[in-house]
Amino acid sequence: MRSYSALKVLREGLRGHTGWQPLWRSPEPQTNYDVIIIGGGGHGLATAYYLAKNHNVRRIAVIEKGWLGGGNTGRNTTIIRSNYFYPESTRLYDLSVRLYENLAREINYNVMFSQRGMLVLSHSEAEMEIAARTVNAMQLNGADAELLDARDVQKKAPILNFRDDARYPIHGAIWQGRAGTARHDAVAWGYARAADELGVDIIQNCEVTGFSIQGGRCNGVETTKGKIHADRVGVAVAGHSSVLAEMGGYTLPIHSYALQAFVTEAVKPVMDTVAFSPMTGSYFSQSDKGGLVIGGALDRIPSYAQRGNTPMQETVLSGIIEMAPALAKVKLLRHWAGNVDVSPDSSPLIGPSGTDGIYVNCGWGTGGFKAIPAGGYLFAHLLATGSHHEISRPFDLDRFSTGRMLDEAAGSGIAH
């Protein structure tokens, strides 16, 4: 792999940055592949990388209808955490945190993973009881977690609202110190570069228009660049999974919603962790450039709209001002939305789709970015072997027929 180093960065600076090469090729699609992955976002690219690296599958194509990172991977608020309740969920999301911890070194690309920790605030004694239950569950499941009182929270985030007359007074918080943020574009680009180095064909601006199904089995896809054959097809298209399902002749128990986000003008350092208030449904962190990155709950009505609206803007920002009144006069710089797939139990779907030859990775709700490494790692295992990794097995679609669901509506954090 073409390696990056501090010496190379210095040398290119002195040369006027004229020596950098494209991070990945732009090949035309071949006629046949072993595996086709639909979706050039974080999960699709990570899947391609781990397929090639861990399972030695060499003829892989990633098909993206737009450009890499131009979809929902580039539209999230970049939070990474594993503070879930059920053991199955913790194993999944903590695998992702562990992979993130070594990702920059592994793929030789700075994904800017900053383990600045995360506070999930409690605003009443009843919420403190629930927080204690969550912390106990996380510790039993092997994830790092602490229960903080109000004084501990104030030491970590003094900008929050600790006034006695606060509408939602802070009683304490769940603290996960290994949580944090990463640069979303860098995660996509880093995986793309690493996959390309292993021979993966990344085909951009190529839309899948249908599946080729013969005798009930999928043997390829139809695209705007022609028909492409493959033994297996993986679908990782967050926000539009149900659209692909209709093409492929299978059904998914999901709905798609817009999830809005905001960033403010750059301000001096005021927040070195992530704070989330379940009561207001708002959360924020501060980026390396100084802007405050803000998120909130899903839109109430399902849609594929990738744009913001003023009712949700008012709801989310009023929650931020309640959490940290000192931010009331900070100017908003941008406002956007991505699409997320939401399942009935707020847990992801990984497994065979119901149409032979098609496998799905979807239903991550608001948690898709934090799960990119684990989602790719586990989906690659499924595509390579045809069977589940023990961590992904509980997330198969069959849980909706067996009734063994994983209701993480509370652990997911945002109203689902």
Side-chain angles (χ1 to χ4, degrees), residues 1 25 33 97 118 149 169 171 182 234 238 242 256 315 358 402 408:
M1 180 183 294
R25 300 164 294 123
Y33 289 95
V97 173
M118 180 173 181
D149 60 21
H171 287 236
S242 54
S256 296
T315 299
I358 303 177
T402 62
E408 284 287 6

Side-chain angles (χ1 to χ4, degrees), residues 71 73 211 274:
T73 297
F211 291 89
V274 182

Side-chain angles (χ1 to χ4, degrees), residues 25 48 55 80 94 97 122 137 140 143 151 159 187 246 254 271 283 285 290 344 350 356 365 370-371 391 410:
R25 300 164 294 123
H55 303 282
I80 296 167
D94 215 51
V97 173
S122 297
L140 288 171
R151 181 174 298 179
I159 195 172
V187 173
E246 187 173 354
I254 59 174
M271 185 71 170
Y283 61 94
S285 62
I350 305 173
D356 285 350
K370 73 169 79 69
I391 294 178

Side-chain angles (χ1 to χ4, degrees), residues 92-263:
L92 173 65
Y93 290 102
D94 215 51
L95 169 64
S96 210
V97 173
R98 294 198 303 275
L99 290 171
Y100 263 123
E101 287 173 332
N102 191 48
L103 185 59
R105 183 183 299 276
E106 178 178 339
I107 63 176
N108 183 228
Y109 199 88
N110 184 8
V111 298
M112 302 173 68
F113 183 33
S114 168
Q115 291 181 287
R116 60 187 65 183
M118 180 173 181
L119 295 162
V120 180
L121 302 175
S122 297
H123 298 289
S124 67
E125 287 304 314
E127 288 189 12
M128 285 296 288
E129 291 293 329
I130 296 173
R133 178 171 176 259
T134 301
V135 167
N136 288 339
M138 290 174 62
Q139 291 177 346
L140 288 171
N141 295 333
D144 65 306
E146 296 180 50
L147 184 64
L148 305 184
D149 60 21
R151 181 174 298 179
D152 295 331
V153 176
Q154 190 166 15
K155 290 178 182 176
K156 291 187 179 297
I159 195 172
L160 298 181
N161 187 358
F162 294 94
R163 292 173 50 173
D164 294 335
D165 61 348
R167 182 178 183 187
Y168 299 114
I170 296 173
H171 287 236
I174 301 169
W175 169 253
Q176 185 176 31
R178 291 169 57 238
T181 63
R183 176 70 185 176
H184 44 192
D185 296 328
V187 173
W189 297 340
Y191 271 123
R193 172 176 175 267
D196 178 82
E197 287 286 343
L198 295 173
V200 174
D201 282 354
I202 299 172
I203 302 164
Q204 300 179 78
N205 301 307
C206 178
E207 183 173 358
V208 171
T209 56
F211 291 89
S212 174
I213 299 175
Q214 294 182 338
R217 193 179 197 290
C218 177
N219 60 16
V221 296
E222 298 168 358
T223 77
T224 52
K225 293 188 177 182
K227 188 173 181 178
I228 308 173
H229 296 274
D231 298 331
R232 287 146 288 169
V233 176
V235 180
V237 291
H240 286 74
S241 298
S242 54
V243 176
L244 272 292
E246 187 173 354
M247 292 183 189
Y250 56 92
T251 58
L252 295 171
I254 59 174
H255 291 91
S256 296
Y257 294 84
L259 178 63
Q260 301 182 41
F262 314 79
V263 67

Side-chain angles (χ1 to χ4, degrees), residues 334-358:
R334 293 192 302 277
H335 176 197
W336 67 93
N339 289 138
V340 297
D341 298 331
V342 177
S343 68
D345 61 355
S346 300
S347 289
L349 309 174
I350 305 173
S353 68
T355 296
D356 285 350
I358 303 177

Side-chain angles (χ1 to χ4, degrees), residues 299-360:
D299 281 13
R300 296 183 64 183
I301 300 172
S303 79
Y304 296 108
Q306 288 185 315
R307 60 179 181 269
N309 57 62
T310 49
M312 184 55 70
Q313 175 177 321
E314 181 178 1
T315 299
V316 174
L317 297 184
S318 63
I320 293 297
I321 294 172
E322 167 60 32
M323 289 172 64
L327 303 179
K329 294 186 178 179
V330 177
K331 294 181 176 63
L332 203 63
L333 194 63
R334 293 192 302 277
H335 176 197
W336 67 93
N339 289 138
V340 297
D341 298 331
V342 177
S343 68
D345 61 355
S346 300
S347 289
L349 309 174
I350 305 173
S353 68
T355 296
D356 285 350
I358 303 177
Y359 300 81
V360 296

